[in-house]
């Protein structure tokens, strides 16, 4: 009888440790998404073009409005609401300031149109990929050397 109790207690402890480890991984992933990301691959633009435009998306958490984020794709400041949960993403309320910048508008227009369609995210190392199964956007963490 003591043997069965010991096996039961050990099984419970192993299960408890595994569930804690899983939840820590999810928390780490969520923390990792909330940073500034530089766009490096998107819709036929070269990496050099994206770097020149300083294309980025800032997902840093704002304590006043936690799901409100910003981006810049070469000209205007952009803003949107973004929600992330276990590989699923939801973007809405995409808007921007209204300046015209000669030769810098194409990326911004495409990004503003495609961002609300992105519904999945994946973090691999220092890279973030947003996709809807057809179109993808790949970012690298801005603080990564």
């Amino acid at each position: 009888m003591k043997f069965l109790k010991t096996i039961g207690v050990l099984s419970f402890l192993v299960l408890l440790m595994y569930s804690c480890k899983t939840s820590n991984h999810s928390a780490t992933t969520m923390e990792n998404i909330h940073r500034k990301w530089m766009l490096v691959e998107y819709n036929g633009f070269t990496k050099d073009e994206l770097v020149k435009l300083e294309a980025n998306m800032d997902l840093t958490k704002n304590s006043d409005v936690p799901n409100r984020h910003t981006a810049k794709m070469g000209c205007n400041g952009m803003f949107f609401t973004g929600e992330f949960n276990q590989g699923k993403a939801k973007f809405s309320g995409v808007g921007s300031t209204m300046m015209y910048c000669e030769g810098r508008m194409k990326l911004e227009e495409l990004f503003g149109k495609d961002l609300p369609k992105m519904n999945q995210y994946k973090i691999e190392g220092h890279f973030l990929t947003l996709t809807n199964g057809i179109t993808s956007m790949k970012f690298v963490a801005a603080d990564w050397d």
Side-chain angles (χ1 to χ4, degrees), residues 18-109:
Y18 177 75
S19 65
C20 289
K21 183 178 179 182
T22 303
S23 64
N24 286 342
H25 175 68
S26 298
T28 301
T29 299
M30 288 309 294
E31 287 173 17
N32 286 343
I33 199 165
H34 295 293
R35 61 203 305 185
K36 187 172 181 180
W37 298 93
M38 306 304 290
L39 187 59
V40 292
E41 289 179 21
Y42 173 59
N43 204 359
F45 289 92
T46 67
K47 185 175 179 181
D48 287 340
E49 289 173 311
L50 297 172
V51 168
K52 182 179 177 184
L53 292 171
E54 298 178 33
N56 72 80
M57 181 168 59
D58 190 347
L59 300 180
T60 306
K61 274 202 178 258
N62 177 338
S63 59
D64 294 333
V65 190
N67 292 332
R68 199 71 170 153
H69 305 290
T70 60
K72 189 155 182 137
M73 294 293 138
C75 183
N76 289 288
M78 301 179 78
F79 48 87
F80 56 90
T81 299
E83 299 174 41
F84 309 93
N85 188 10
Q86 297 180 351
K88 301 292 183 200
K90 181 179 179 186
F91 297 95
S92 60
V94 178
S96 71
T97 57
M98 301 293 287
M99 295 185 302
Y100 176 77
C101 301
E102 185 69 36
R104 298 179 145 249
M105 301 303 294
K106 184 178 178 186
L107 173 62
E108 188 174 299
E109 290 170 10

